């Protein structure tokens, strides 16, 4: 990436950060404004987004086979956040939280991510934006929420987890 592209990315992410901080609950805004944030796409080096492998005709990840990777589908954001809160132990594991895969990325622990899911759910529903996630900084683990428009006239929310 050229210096100009890097600078443009930084400017775009600073603007996106300001917009996010202005649109989330004040408690979450305070937390996100106080943590380190980054523009570096390497923050998502452990991300494992779901994708369809055409050759194998099966669901996989953007990184191929990932140990412990699991995919679940939900009809509502509330069902999805309830599942995450019930199945993931809030641990003090450093990671990167993101609203957009292009950045910015916020340094949050898994515990901070899980404990603020209700506030994130409110943001997602208010903004009609359902693609968010958390990935480990130095641990191959993560949680990614995605919204899929299916060809069967039924939209689905999916959550990918691995390393938990």
């Amino acid at each position: 990436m050229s210096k100009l592209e890097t600078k443009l990315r930084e400017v775009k992410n600073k603007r996106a950060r300001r917009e996010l901080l202005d649109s989330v609950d004040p408690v979450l805004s305070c937390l996100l404004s106080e943590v380190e944030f980054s523009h570096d796409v390497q923050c998502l080096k452990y991300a494992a987004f779901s994708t369809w492998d055409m050759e194998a005709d099966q669901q996989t990840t953007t990184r191929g086979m990932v140990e412990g990777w699991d995919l679940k589908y939900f009809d509502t954001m509330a069902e999805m956040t309830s599942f995450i809160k019930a199945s993931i132990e809030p641990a003090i594991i450093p990671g990167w939280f993101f609203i957009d895969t292009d950045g910015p990325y916020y340094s949050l622990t898994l515990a901070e991510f899980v404990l603020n899911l209700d506030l994130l759910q409110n943001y997602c529903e208010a903004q009609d934006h359902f693609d968010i996630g958390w990935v480990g900084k130095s641990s191959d683990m993560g949680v990614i929420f995605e919204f899929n428009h299916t060809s069967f006239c039924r939209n689905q929310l999916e959550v990918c987890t691995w390393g938990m």
Side-chain angles (χ1 to χ4, degrees), residues 13-21 32-33 35 37 104 106:
N13 283 336
K14 284 180 183 177
R15 186 173 339 123
R17 180 175 184 260
R18 276 193 311 272
E19 289 172 4
L20 176 65
L21 295 177
L32 294 176
S33 67
V35 299
F37 74 101
Y106 302 87

Side-chain angles (χ1 to χ4, degrees), residues 1 15 40 52 75 80 84 117-119 130 146:
M1 189 180 285
R15 186 173 339 123
D40 188 356
W52 190 261
D75 292 324
M80 195 162 53
I84 293 298
L117 275 177
D118 289 332
L119 299 177
F130 301 99
E146 291 185 275

Side-chain angles (χ1 to χ4, degrees), residues 85-120:
K85 290 191 299 187
S87 62
I88 295 178
E89 181 82 25
I92 310 299
I93 300 169
W96 294 106
F97 163 70
F98 60 93
I99 293 283
D100 186 335
T101 56
D102 290 332
Y105 315 105
Y106 302 87
S107 180
L108 292 183
T109 65
L110 179 58
E112 290 169 323
F113 175 73
V114 171
L115 295 173
N116 285 287
L117 275 177
D118 289 332
L119 299 177
L120 290 169

Side-chain angles (χ1 to χ4, degrees), residues 29-121:
S29 179
C30 183
L31 172 66
L32 294 176
S33 67
E34 293 175 355
V35 299
E36 170 192 3
F37 74 101
S38 176
H39 313 289
D40 188 356
V41 293
Q42 282 300 305
C43 292
L44 298 187
K45 68 182 174 185
Y46 291 118
F49 297 93
S50 69
T51 190
W52 190 261
D53 182 336
M54 298 296 252
E55 287 182 18
D57 196 29
Q58 68 182 11
Q59 192 78 36
T60 187
T61 80
T62 51
R63 290 178 30 214
M65 298 305 289
V66 173
E67 189 175 331
W69 185 81
D70 190 31
L71 174 65
K72 301 238 184 281
Y73 296 98
F74 299 91
D75 292 324
T76 68
M77 187 73 175
E79 291 173 344
M80 195 162 53
T81 56
S82 293
F83 168 77
I84 293 298
K85 290 191 299 187
S87 62
I88 295 178
E89 181 82 25
I92 310 299
I93 300 169
W96 294 106
F97 163 70
F98 60 93
I99 293 283
D100 186 335
T101 56
D102 290 332
Y105 315 105
Y106 302 87
S107 180
L108 292 183
T109 65
L110 179 58
E112 290 169 323
F113 175 73
V114 171
L115 295 173
N116 285 287
L117 275 177
D118 289 332
L119 299 177
L120 290 169
Q121 176 185 333

